Amino acid sequence: MDLPVVELEPYLEARGSQPLPENVRNSCLEVAKCLREAGALVLRDPRCTPEDNDRFLNMMERYFGMADEFKRQQERRHLHYQVGVTPEGVEVPRCALDKDLQARMEKIPDSEKPRMPVGADPKWRYMWRVGPRPANTRFKEFNADPVVPEGFPDWIEVMDGWGRKMIAAVEIVAEMAAIGFGLPPDAFTSLMSQGPHLLAPTGSDLSKFTEEGSVFAGYHYDLNFLTIHGRSRFPGLNIWLKQGQKLLVRVPPGCLLVQAGKELEWLTGGECSAGMHEVIVTKETIAAAEAAEQAGRSLWRVSSTVFGHIASDAILEPLGHFASAQAAKNYPATLAGDYVESELAAIRLKTA
């Protein structure tokens, strides 16, 4: 099974039209259906080119390939790694901490079951904020100054350029989803304004981790609104559909992958579930790594991940027709920043 590819160009051309053309309206319904049933979708945005993605991947492969001592100069542990580099062995996968999630994993058939990691994830990550931040906020650590490594003169241009294009794609998906759900087009995007969006690429060293089944990112969901990825040069991402089926994601050239996060689940009162996923070494990963090694290319698996967030000081609560007594009980009104802090608390204890 492959996820359908949603073309954004027709919506971009018809954006704001009343009424929307039928084909565009159907695309909005498809976006909502994918987020509801699969928690993910593949899209093609003409503003996000393969050349943009390659330029970003090339730079991040070079960065992650630097010596550990160099990379640790960009570490900001006192800010809970919300900016700068997060070294390998720091991020603890949710499935290693959450007893409820472990019980859920046990119910998954063996053929669909995720890999249980041993300890923290052996991947590096770089956190780079994208877009404007509020002048006044209770959640300053989510809005800290960026960290720029020395020796990368194009760093700011590349990171800002790719990050902003990815967030722009997320905003269009958010508009289309809102229309598909029968909400006002700005129902989600109005809450995203000045959110703590992060370009957060991971780097996993395939010269060190060569065994099939090695876990780079243990089974987890994302705590933000929507996550978007550019196409990686190495496969290995598994997602679980709402019905529980496991799917090895294949993103076609020139496309992007979007996944539902917990904030979207909150805003839809559970209609959309935060998508569960993992990144592991598969047979396909090994084959791609062997081909890269023979060609003299980098063996760092880079994910160009962007976390699109609801603004820290905005209220999370079920919207419009998603609001009900049961939804309010399961997803009570709370500040988005308070929710994110509570989600990070357990992991912080593990990394203190």
Side-chain angles (χ1 to χ4, degrees):
M1 175 183 175
D2 291 322
L3 295 170
V5 177
V6 177
E7 302 285 348
L8 297 196
E9 187 167 13
Y11 180 83
L12 290 168
E13 292 176 350
R15 192 180 187 189
S17 301
Q18 291 295 336
L20 287 171
E22 184 178 0
N23 67 312
V24 174
R25 179 80 184 176
N26 288 338
S27 290
C28 294
L29 293 171
E30 180 72 12
V31 167
K33 178 182 177 182
C34 286
L35 292 174
R36 181 188 295 112
E37 296 182 359
L41 61 97
V42 174
L43 63 89
R44 184 179 284 107
D45 186 336
R47 303 168 301 175
C48 301
T49 67
E51 292 75 20
D52 293 329
N53 194 21
D54 285 341
R55 187 183 183 196
F56 173 81
L57 292 177
N58 291 340
M59 187 181 76
M60 293 311 303
E61 286 177 350
R62 181 182 161 226
Y63 173 78
F64 285 126
M66 301 291 284
D68 290 0
E69 293 77 10
F70 172 82
K71 289 181 288 192
R72 287 184 180 275
Q73 294 175 26
Q74 290 84 55
E75 184 177 356
R76 298 295 183 268
R77 182 171 177 164
H78 65 287
L79 294 174
H80 305 289
Y81 304 101
Q82 291 302 298
V83 292
V85 78
T86 305
E88 62 182 3
V90 170
E91 288 192 16
V92 180
R94 181 168 297 278
C95 60
L97 304 171
D98 190 325
K99 298 298 183 183
D100 291 337
L101 189 54
Q102 291 170 8
R104 176 175 168 180
M105 290 171 65
E106 284 300 314
K107 297 177 181 178
I108 299 175
D110 289 345
S111 61
E112 309 289 312
K113 198 180 294 292
R115 293 273 183 167
M116 177 57 77
V118 179
D121 290 336
K123 68 177 186 293
W124 292 74
R125 187 189 292 281
Y126 207 98
M127 294 287 211
W128 181 262
R129 69 182 194 179
V130 179
R133 294 298 200 257
N136 298 299
T137 176
R138 282 182 46 199
F139 306 96
K140 295 192 180 297
E141 74 178 45
F142 299 147
N143 302 283
D145 291 334
V147 181
V148 181
E150 294 183 1
F152 289 80
D154 297 332
W155 184 272
I156 295 175
E157 177 189 351
V158 172
M159 298 294 270
D160 281 351
W162 187 232
R164 286 170 179 164
K165 286 187 176 185
M166 297 273 271
I167 285 295
V170 167
E171 290 172 344
I172 295 302
V173 171
E175 284 187 14
M176 294 178 72
I179 293 169
F181 285 134
L183 300 171
D186 67 346
F188 298 130
T189 54
S190 61
L191 299 174
M192 291 176 64
S193 178
Q194 297 188 336
H197 312 310
L198 288 169
L199 173 55
T202 62
S204 305
D205 190 354
L206 289 169
S207 69
K208 289 172 57 179
F209 301 95
T210 59
E211 184 178 348
E212 184 181 353
S214 297
V215 179
F216 286 136
Y219 185 68
H220 68 287
Y221 60 79
D222 292 338
L223 56 85
N224 54 296
F225 173 60
L226 289 173
T227 302
I228 188 168
H229 308 267
R231 188 169 184 261
S232 176
R233 289 171 174 162
F234 300 93
L237 174 65
N238 289 322
I239 68 171
W240 277 260
L241 307 183
K242 193 169 186 177
Q243 295 79 8
Q245 304 99 315
K246 182 172 72 173
L247 175 65
L248 175 63
V249 176
R250 295 177 175 86
V251 179
C255 293
L256 306 168
L257 172 71
V258 171
Q259 294 175 278
K262 199 70 173 181
E263 290 177 340
L264 176 62
E265 180 178 326
W266 208 290
L267 295 170
T268 60
E271 181 79 10
C272 296
S273 297
M276 303 305 302
H277 51 283
E278 69 177 1
V279 179
I280 64 172
V281 176
T282 65
K283 288 184 175 67
E284 293 88 348
T285 314
I286 294 170
E290 290 173 348
E293 186 173 24
Q294 291 174 5
R297 300 194 304 271
S298 172
L299 291 179
W300 280 89
R301 184 192 188 278
V302 175
S303 71
S304 54
T305 304
V306 172
F307 296 123
H309 276 267
I310 298 303
S312 302
D313 299 279
I315 295 175
L316 283 179
E317 61 183 344
L319 300 177
H321 61 83
F322 295 117
S324 67
Q326 187 61 47
K329 180 180 178 181
N330 294 337
Y331 301 94
T334 185
L335 287 179
D338 284 336
Y339 162 71
V340 171
E341 282 194 336
S342 68
E343 287 281 288
L344 292 173
I347 297 176
R348 288 177 184 170
L349 291 175
K350 289 288 181 179
T351 59

